[in-house]
Amino acid sequence: EGCHLCEAMWHELGDYRSRHDLEFSCLDISRDESLETRYGEMIPVLAHGERVICNYFLDPELLDAFLANPD
């Protein structure tokens, strides 16, 4: 909470949630030392498992490419 970039990305992901029947989780990396070490200043970061899709801002092209080929 309180991160305008995180809030903006979460809001933009709303379109994907409704159009593609997807679920996303919002995690506060400051509450998890391993996540904070891994991502540090990259927040917000959109990741699936170990794979980073985009960070700082939602990149629709990268997210669409990931959704087309999630492996």
Side-chain angles (χ1 to χ4, degrees), residues 11-50:
H11 177 74
E12 291 178 75
L13 287 171
D15 293 337
Y16 283 88
R17 286 192 296 269
S18 61
R19 283 190 317 205
H20 299 285
D21 192 31
L22 297 172
E23 292 184 32
F24 297 94
S25 297
C26 185
L27 303 173
D28 181 350
I29 69 163
S30 69
R31 296 176 189 251
D32 184 318
E33 188 175 327
S34 64
L35 291 176
E36 192 165 19
T37 299
R38 180 170 183 190
Y39 298 117
E41 299 296 320
M42 291 175 57
I43 59 171
V45 61
L46 179 62
H48 182 265
E50 299 294 314

Side-chain angles (χ1 to χ4, degrees), residues 37-65:
T37 299
R38 180 170 183 190
Y39 298 117
E41 299 296 320
M42 291 175 57
I43 59 171
V45 61
L46 179 62
H48 182 265
E50 299 294 314
R51 183 174 170 189
V52 172
I53 299 167
C54 59
N55 61 300
Y56 303 124
F57 302 97
L58 181 64
D59 185 324
E61 289 180 14
L62 291 176
L63 181 52
D64 289 339

